[in-house]
Amino acid sequence: MKLPVIKHLTNFIEENDQDYVIETIETLEALTEVPSLKDEELDVIGEIISNLYGAIEVDKMVKEGMPKKEALNTFMKRVLGSIDS
């Protein structure tokens, strides 16, 4: 996951609508079922999906009243904590 990408996507959600991101996730998840995709391609799609889900989580925290910068930092700490475990 990349914090600048998640931040950009969070801004996109604020300016547009979360539904666009959810539909994008659904589309990318459907693409992962293409049998001819290489592992590298699946990795890229997976990374994009992870960033999209991250932006949705950050947006949720912001809507619950957390400042955006704090929400981004909290989310990344949670991600890094789960990786270290």
Side-chain angles (χ1 to χ4, degrees):
M1 293 192 171
K2 301 212 180 286
L3 187 58
V5 173
I6 293 171
K7 184 177 179 182
H8 185 80
L9 289 168
T10 302
N11 290 337
F12 177 84
I13 291 171
E14 288 175 1
E15 294 170 7
N16 296 281
D17 193 305
Q18 191 180 75
D19 290 342
Y20 289 110
V21 174
I22 292 169
E23 290 170 2
T24 301
I25 291 169
E26 291 170 355
T27 302
L28 290 171
E29 286 175 343
L31 275 175
T32 63
E33 298 172 11
V34 174
S36 62
L37 285 179
K38 298 174 184 172
D39 287 343
E40 299 84 25
E41 294 166 328
L42 287 171
D43 289 344
V44 170
I45 293 171
E47 180 71 18
I48 294 169
I49 291 171
S50 294
N51 286 317
L52 290 165
Y53 274 121
I56 289 172
E57 285 298 313
V58 170
D59 182 63
K60 180 181 172 188
M61 287 186 263
V62 170
K63 286 180 179 169
E64 291 172 351
M66 188 179 290
K68 187 190 307 184
K69 185 175 181 177
E70 184 180 341
L72 287 161
N73 288 331
T74 300
F75 177 76
M76 289 310 291
K77 286 178 186 173
R78 193 170 67 200
V79 169
L80 292 174
S82 68
I83 292 171
D84 292 339
S85 298

